[in-house]
Amino acid sequence: MRIDVITIFPQMFPPVLETGMLRVAREGSHVDVAVHDLRDYTTGRHRQVDDQPYGGGPGMVMMAEPFYAALTDVLGSEPNLLPGGTRTILMSARGKRLDHRLASSLAQEERLVVLCGRYEGVDARVADFVTDEVSIGDYVLSGGEIGAMVVIDTVTRLQAGVLGASESLEEESFASGQLEYPQYTRPARWREAGVPPVLISGDHRRIGEWRQEQSRLSTAVRRPDLCEESGHNKRNR
Ligand code: SAH
């Protein structure tokens, strides 16, 4: 999969892309990430990307044209919103909230382009030439870059072959509509706290049952909304 990012702060990305799973996935050619400087697509001497908001108000708004020019260059053609065109994502607090389902759908794509806003946000006409607006949660960030990194991270670990054991994906939180069961590692007794005996029993059937039950309980207690959602999805199937 290929991911292009358009941002005024390209320097934020290398430390993240060069660490851990993302580094390994890039080296293994599971994902190729290219970061583009939005200011390279400005025309004036001042490389201006923002201007005052129409209607007044504080701060600056990012102009549509540099994003359009950058996206057109990166795509090699004008943005195309028809089915089959490349998915282009504007990071936005007003966007669709990222969850496992949206991440899985993005992970199926051969290519993504992610646009990062800054300042008070971007000219509303940018949303008209992208296929998706994505929010990473109900809070406001100072820019789209950290959100773009969240998208890149979660979509990359969903690529086949990126994680060692394939079942580690299926059992993770949200994949099955439930939270993951609690995990433990050595030592078996740590500062008076033990490990559930079933996990040291060697009985894999009972361990499986215990884990399933723990997933169900944790989800019911911590995230009743997920229980309702998966019930709802089942009913709609
Ligand atoms: N005034 C805007 C926020 C602008 S924040 C509003 O109230 O909605 C500047 C940029 O940060 C946005 O253009 C967007 O790209 C990014 N951003 C802020 N919060 C975000 C969130 N929750 N998810 C994704 N991107 C976000």
Side-chain angles (χ1 to χ4, degrees):
M1 162 179 234
R2 158 86 180 207
I3 306 175
D4 290 274
V5 182
I6 298 170
T7 169
I8 59 166
F9 292 128
Q11 69 272 26
M12 288 178 72
F13 287 83
V16 170
L17 296 176
E18 285 164 16
T19 305
M21 177 277 303
L22 278 173
R23 181 195 191 106
V24 173
R26 286 173 46 252
E27 285 173 353
S29 304
H30 295 288
V31 63
D32 172 22
V33 184
V35 184
H36 310 271
D37 189 342
L38 182 70
R39 289 193 199 277
D40 292 344
Y41 298 92
T42 52
T43 42
R45 195 160 52 88
H46 299 291
R47 313 227 299 160
Q48 187 183 348
V49 292
D50 57 338
D51 210 328
Q52 289 162 344
Y54 277 121
M60 300 292 268
V61 172
M62 294 180 88
M63 298 186 289
E65 181 56 28
F67 279 115
Y68 191 83
L71 188 55
T72 302
D73 184 52
V74 163
L75 290 173
S77 62
E78 308 226 306
N80 166 13
L81 301 185
L82 297 172
T86 299
R87 295 258 308 259
T88 51
I89 302 169
L90 173 63
M91 298 311 301
S92 166
R94 306 188 335 148
K96 183 169 161 66
R97 203 149 16 125
L98 183 65
D99 59 9
H100 179 73
R101 177 188 292 235
L102 178 54
S104 305
S105 125
L106 296 173
Q108 313 279 311
E109 300 290 326
E110 252 164 55
R111 188 160 190 209
L112 296 174
V113 185
V114 187
L115 280 53
C116 303
R118 276 271 155 182
Y119 313 121
E120 294 302 311
V122 306
D123 188 306
R125 290 168 289 187
V126 173
D128 298 338
F129 62 78
V130 295
T131 62
D132 296 76
E133 286 181 78
V134 172
S135 163
I136 63 159
D138 291 344
Y139 38 78
V140 178
L141 299 162
S142 50
E145 289 77 8
I146 292 176
M149 292 175 197
V150 169
V151 170
I152 294 169
D153 185 291
T154 189
V155 154
T156 300
R157 62 201 300 291
L158 289 172
Q159 300 299 305
V162 167
L163 299 191
S166 59
E167 64 267 27
S168 60
L169 268 182
E170 280 145 35
E171 294 203 358
E172 267 184 334
S173 297
F174 309 112
S176 56
Q178 291 195 329
L179 302 179
E180 194 182 54
Y181 45 80
Q183 300 261 35
Y184 297 86
T185 188
R186 280 193 272 236
R189 179 149 294 276
W190 172 75
R191 296 186 179 228
E192 304 304 305
V195 166
V198 59
L199 295 180
I200 340 185
S201 69
D203 182 339
H204 291 287
R205 191 181 53 80
R206 277 183 53 225
I207 292 173
E209 286 166 4
W210 181 86
R211 286 180 165 167
Q212 260 181 17
E213 179 61 4
Q214 291 295 316
S215 274
R216 199 186 59 72
L217 280 174
S218 302
T219 312
V221 171
R222 294 164 183 240
R223 294 293 304 276
D225 57 306
L226 288 179
C227 297
E228 281 157 32
E229 214 174 273
S230 71
H232 181 74
N233 290 341
K234 273 183 205 130
R235 276 196 298 280
N236 285 350
R237 238 176 244 144

